[in-house]
Amino acid sequence: DGGITQSPKYLFRKEGQNVTLSCEQNLNHDAMYWYRQDPGQGLRLIYYSQIVNDFQKGDIAEGYSVSREKKESFPLTVTSAQKNPTAFYLCASSTASGRADTQYFGPGTRLTVL
Amino acid sequence: EDKVVQSPLSLVVHEGDTVTLNCSYEVTNFRSLLWYKQEKKAPTFLFMLTSSGIEKKSGRLSSILDKKELFSILNITATQTGDSAVYLCAVEISSNTGKLIFGQGTTLQVKP
């Protein structure tokens, strides 16, 4: 089955801890994205990567970091510098850059900071 | 600053009603406008619009774009309870990045 997997589905973390959210895709997509969604709001872009070993900041990158060592994987680390990390995190991937209609979303990780 | 605004933010209708969801945008480099349906988890793609005045249609859903007035509408006719979801509008900006600016979403509840 082709698709995007995100793990874990739910994540709880204590204030001051770093946490890494996993995103894996077997669609052979070049581009991958991380979004954050807060209640009553749309998605906001955190980071995106168009090719392995390269990534760019989105609109709300502060307090987050990413890596893209493999085409299939784009993990997101939420650091202690992120002031309000409780949110729903969505990972997406797409085929060649510039094809927004091919952007396919994973099931999401809900992060709660206690 | 690029922005996308959706209205209304929430809507409650009864089965069989027709609804119209609105999306307006102000962006520096418009490439396309997309509509998604989100039921609890991952958004699923509905339409992509690039040209003004050309209606896209899929079953009971249709959408149209007005690039002069900078807005789009999503129509759902003969609504069903399964249409209950958050509907997201997004604008793709610039070239070759797939970067999307999302609106806040419209929460639609369809009552039996």
Side-chain angles (χ1 to χ4, degrees):
Chain A
D1 259 346
I4 302 180
T5 56
Q6 290 186 243
S7 60
K9 189 174 177 180
Y10 298 96
L11 187 57
F12 298 90
R13 144 197 147 176
K14 291 183 180 179
E15 223 173 302
Q17 290 179 336
N18 291 359
V19 64
T20 297
L21 282 58
S22 168
C23 177
E24 304 276 333
Q25 53 97 1
N26 61 4
L27 300 165
N28 200 32
H29 283 173
D30 291 303
M32 297 186 75
Y33 310 82
W34 273 107
Y35 294 93
R36 169 184 172 136
Q37 187 175 29
D38 293 283
Q41 294 193 37
L43 282 61
R44 291 183 289 167
L45 183 65
I46 306 172
Y47 269 98
Y48 63 103
S49 167
Q50 296 173 261
I51 197 168
V52 174
N53 292 323
D54 188 40
F55 48 82
Q56 288 77 40
K57 292 183 180 180
D59 300 313
I60 55 166
E62 187 175 347
Y64 299 97
S65 66
V66 292
S67 63
R68 186 86 188 276
E69 296 176 4
K70 298 186 300 181
K71 188 176 185 178
E72 309 80 43
S73 178
F74 191 40
L76 173 74
T77 297
V78 184
T79 75
S80 57
Q82 170 47 237
K83 297 302 177 193
N84 187 19
T86 294
F88 186 51
Y89 290 87
L90 282 160
C91 178
S93 70
S94 69
T95 56
S97 298
R99 288 296 311 273
D101 59 331
T102 67
Q103 204 164 125
Y104 185 85
F105 288 85
T109 292
R110 193 167 296 280
L111 173 64
T112 302
V113 174
L114 305 172
Chain B
E1 183 187 343
D2 295 327
K3 65 178 179 181
V4 177
V5 177
Q6 293 185 244
S7 65
L9 294 182
S10 65
L11 193 55
V12 181
V13 300
H14 287 92
E15 272 191 315
D17 289 348
T18 293
V19 299
T20 298
L21 310 182
N22 303 295
C23 176
S24 63
Y25 62 91
E26 288 181 40
V27 300
T28 51
N29 193 4
F30 177 90
R31 184 176 169 90
S32 65
L33 185 144
L34 298 95
W35 284 97
Y36 294 87
K37 178 182 182 182
Q38 186 178 25
E39 298 171 274
K40 302 291 185 188
K41 295 182 182 177
T44 53
F45 172 77
L46 295 174
F47 299 111
M48 183 172 80
L49 302 147
T50 55
S51 302
S52 278
I54 299 175
E55 186 184 50
K56 292 274 181 103
K57 197 169 171 65
S58 176
R60 296 175 294 103
L61 278 66
S62 64
S63 184
I64 198 161
L65 173 68
D66 186 328
K67 289 170 76 172
K68 184 180 175 185
E69 300 297 330
L70 307 183
F71 79 90
S72 174
I73 60 172
L74 175 69
N75 278 322
I76 308 174
T77 59
T79 52
Q80 303 170 357
T81 55
D83 295 327
S84 296
V86 175
Y87 289 85
L88 295 166
C89 171
V91 172
E92 184 187 7
I93 61 172
S94 76
S95 298
N96 302 321
T97 65
K99 187 176 177 184
L100 299 172
I101 307 293
F102 280 82
Q104 321 95 299
T106 293
T107 300
L108 173 65
Q109 182 184 359
V110 181
K111 292 188 172 181

